[in-house]
Amino acid sequence: MGKQMTEMLKGTLEGIVLAILSVRPAYGYEITARLRDQGFSDIAEGTVYALLVRIEQKGFVDVEKVPSEKGPPRKVYSLNAAGRGFLEEFWTTWSFLAERLERLQVEGGK
Amino acid sequence: MGKQMTEMLKGTLEGIVLAILSVRPAYGYEITARLRDQGFSDIAEGTVYALLVRIEQKGFVDVEKVPSEKGPPRKVYSLNAAGRGFLEEFWTTWSFLAERLERLQVEGGK
DNA sequence: CCAGCTATTCAGCGTTACTATGTAGTGGTA
DNA sequence: TACCACTACATAGTAACGCTGAATAGCTGG
């Protein structure tokens, strides 16, 4: 979706992935596919894996290696307590931002 | 509002400032004050000025120097046609993102 | 054996917001 | 005069993040 989306995703992509993991555990390749299904069509695989490394280092997820029927072993990520806490904060921040932007959008429409 | 906001602002702060300018022309110091009023309490002046330089270089605004009664001359920025076009794109991208995030937020709440 | 799908990793890059500091004009006040 | 506060703009250096592009590796079917 272009460069605007790239910049706008900064900071939110992390929340998006954590939100996906909050529904149920998943592995990288699966998360990438899920993102594409949800309309984020040009998010590169490399981006997702790098993000997963970061959230693992921050301690937001637990990781388990699980053999795959169709290829190399998968690294399954599941959201832990710290991750859920961070996700809550994320939604708070997001709501704050969204509220103000919606106000601006209406104002600009006048 | 912390580091999450910092990252989330990337890409959106530009849109926010353009939206402010779409209502009426303004100068840097004024824009900073307006942002603070709207709840973006810890956006530094330096951030805004740097952003104004960028949007000027991109050709989204016209600039006029206007003397001030209370200090150095002001650089008044007004949104031009290119800026309005970009702002429209911005809202499109924003809506796309917001829609998907709201969906995720609901899903996570189940 | 090779093509194609699954699955992960990483180095290098561009963009952005933040930090910290500096410059300059004006008015008030001690 | 000297000092301070407010107004107003500018900029060098830094950290964080997503993208690009490429590489590696396991498994299956023709």
Side-chain angles (χ1 to χ4, degrees):
Chain A
M1 274 217 56
K3 224 180 66 177
Q4 263 187 77
M5 183 56 92
T6 291
E7 292 305 324
M8 244 184 261
L9 277 178
K10 287 187 181 174
T12 63
L13 185 57
E14 184 171 339
I16 291 171
V17 169
L18 291 179
I20 287 175
L21 290 178
S22 81
V23 178
R24 72 183 108 85
Y27 54 98
Y29 195 82
E30 187 188 1
I31 293 171
T32 306
R34 203 108 80 194
L35 285 170
R36 292 200 206 285
D37 287 346
Q38 293 183 15
F40 300 103
S41 46
D42 27 276
I43 289 180
E45 286 189 87
T47 299
V48 176
Y49 287 111
L51 194 156
L52 289 172
V53 169
R54 284 203 300 275
I55 64 176
E56 184 183 354
Q57 280 169 349
K58 290 180 188 169
F60 294 155
V61 286
D62 297 326
V63 190
E64 197 190 353
K65 221 158 201 172
V66 177
S68 161
E69 323 84 43
K70 297 185 173 179
R74 298 163 174 168
K75 282 179 75 175
V76 175
Y77 294 84
S78 49
L79 205 61
N80 61 23
R84 269 186 292 277
F86 185 86
L87 183 55
E88 256 184 68
E89 272 182 60
F90 171 80
W91 286 128
T92 303
T93 306
W94 167 260
S95 303
F96 180 92
L97 193 56
E99 211 176 288
R100 269 145 197 85
L101 278 188
E102 273 155 38
R103 203 170 301 158
L104 273 170
Q105 198 171 12
V106 174
E107 262 184 69
K110 284 190 308 201
Chain B
M1 275 215 57
K3 224 178 68 177
Q4 260 186 79
M5 183 56 91
T6 290
E7 290 307 324
M8 242 183 263
L9 276 178
K10 287 186 181 173
T12 63
L13 185 56
E14 185 171 337
I16 290 170
V17 169
L18 291 179
I20 288 175
L21 290 179
S22 80
V23 178
R24 72 183 111 83
Y27 55 97
Y29 194 81
E30 185 188 1
I31 293 170
T32 307
R34 203 110 80 195
L35 286 170
R36 292 201 207 285
D37 287 347
Q38 294 184 14
F40 301 102
S41 46
D42 25 277
I43 290 181
E45 285 189 86
T47 300
V48 175
Y49 287 112
L51 194 157
L52 289 172
V53 168
R54 285 203 299 274
I55 64 176
E56 186 184 351
Q57 280 170 349
K58 291 180 188 170
F60 294 156
V61 287
D62 297 325
V63 189
E64 196 189 354
K65 222 162 200 169
V66 177
S68 160
E69 324 82 42
K70 297 183 173 179
R74 298 163 173 165
K75 280 180 76 178
V76 175
Y77 295 83
S78 48
L79 204 61
N80 60 26
R84 269 187 291 278
F86 184 86
L87 183 56
E88 254 184 69
E89 273 182 60
F90 171 81
W91 286 128
T92 303
T93 307
W94 167 260
S95 302
F96 180 92
L97 191 57
E99 212 176 288
R100 269 144 197 87
L101 279 187
E102 273 155 39
R103 203 171 300 159
L104 273 169
Q105 196 171 11
V106 174
E107 262 183 70
K110 284 191 306 201

